[in-house]
Amino acid sequence: MQISSETKRVELPADALYRFLNDFRHFGQLLPEQVKDWQATPEQCSFAIEGMAKIALVMGECREYDLVTYQSSGVTPISFSILFKINPNLETQTDYTVEIHADMNPMLEMMARKPLQHLVDVMAEKLQVVIETNQDIR
């Protein structure tokens, strides 16, 4: 299953957005309020979402100024990845989308599609807000 956010644009060069996303310590700012027990290092993170299992992520494939991928690991019950696709628009503008790719059976996919769509939409929106309100990222 693949779920994507709408494409968003930020007033930030692609290299700065890439550096921000390439450090899990920033990822917590993009998650919904229901997240509990947040822990992160630059290379991995773990957290729980109310009413769900604990989730652990590690850095996956990363291509400078193009893609940052987070992979599920360890105790996470479903194999999935979160992709941030980065597309430089102008020297000071960058477009991006957030995607989730997950391996699930069709029944679980039916139940998970709506919450996962909400999750990618929240992450895409929060990333835009964090970039717009934090001058230190530049």
Side-chain angles (χ1 to χ4, degrees):
M1 170 175 62
Q2 178 179 324
I3 297 175
S4 300
S5 71
E6 292 181 5
T7 299
K8 299 283 190 179
R9 177 172 292 161
V10 289
E11 297 292 327
L12 188 71
D15 62 331
L17 181 58
Y18 174 83
R19 283 192 312 273
F20 178 82
L21 292 170
N22 204 26
D23 185 335
F24 270 119
R25 294 173 295 184
H26 302 277
F27 182 57
Q29 299 173 65
L30 310 182
L31 294 172
E33 295 175 8
Q34 297 87 349
V35 167
K36 306 281 186 212
D37 302 323
W38 170 254
Q39 296 178 358
T41 68
E43 300 85 25
Q44 63 187 13
C45 73
S46 64
F47 56 93
I49 298 177
E50 282 182 27
M52 296 178 71
K54 188 163 180 121
I55 296 171
L57 299 170
V58 296
M59 278 293 162
E61 178 184 8
C62 295
R63 294 189 307 255
E64 280 194 4
Y65 322 138
D66 181 48
L67 176 72
V68 175
T69 305
Y70 304 158
Q71 295 288 139
S72 60
S73 87
V75 298
T76 306
I78 296 170
S79 176
F80 70 96
S81 55
I82 300 172
L83 291 77
F84 292 89
K85 293 185 173 181
I86 302 167
N87 184 20
N89 186 349
L90 297 171
E91 190 172 304
T92 60
Q93 287 182 341
T94 304
D95 294 341
Y96 66 90
T97 57
V98 181
E99 293 182 2
I100 291 182
H101 297 192
D103 295 326
M104 345 181 141
N105 67 49
M107 181 64 99
L108 187 54
E109 184 177 324
M110 280 182 12
M111 294 186 317
R113 182 166 291 281
K114 187 174 180 180
L116 290 176
Q117 183 66 59
H118 178 71
L119 179 61
V120 296
D121 293 341
V122 165
M123 287 189 293
E125 190 66 36
K126 284 192 167 195
L127 180 55
Q128 193 173 41
V129 170
V130 166
I131 298 299
E132 290 173 357
T133 59
N134 190 340
Q135 295 298 316
D136 293 337
I137 295 171
R138 300 175 197 291

